Amino acid sequence: MVYVVSQGCTLCGMCETECPVGAIRVGKGGAKIDPDKCIGCGSCADNCASEAIVPAP
Ligand code: SF4
C-alpha cells in the first residue's frame, strides 16, 4: 500500500525527513510521494503534524 499527501499539508517537511527510502520531496508545489519508491511503512503518516498523509485509495 502506498501513501499520498492530502490537502492538509503545510509543507513542514517532517515526512521528507522521516521517510527511510527517500520517496518524499517537499517543494513549492507541495509534498509528493513517489509511488514507485514508497514501501508503505507509514512512517510519514505517523509523523505528520497535520495528519495530511493517508493511504492511497
Ligand atoms: Fe516513505 Fe514510508 Fe511514507 Fe512510503 S509510507 S513515503 S516509504 S515514509
Side-chain angles (χ1 to χ4, degrees):
M1 177 203 303
V2 299
Y3 282 70
V4 294
V5 183
S6 73
Q7 295 199 331
C9 174
T10 59
L11 300 179
C12 73
M14 187 64 77
C15 56
E16 191 175 31
T17 304
E18 294 296 330
C19 180
V21 295
I24 305 179
R25 289 285 173 272
V26 180
K28 274 188 242 164
K32 293 227 165 53
I33 297 176
D34 183 340
D36 293 330
K37 287 186 182 173
C38 177
I39 57 172
C41 71
S43 177
C44 53
D46 290 344
N47 289 284
C48 179
S50 309
E51 298 184 358
I53 301 181
V54 296

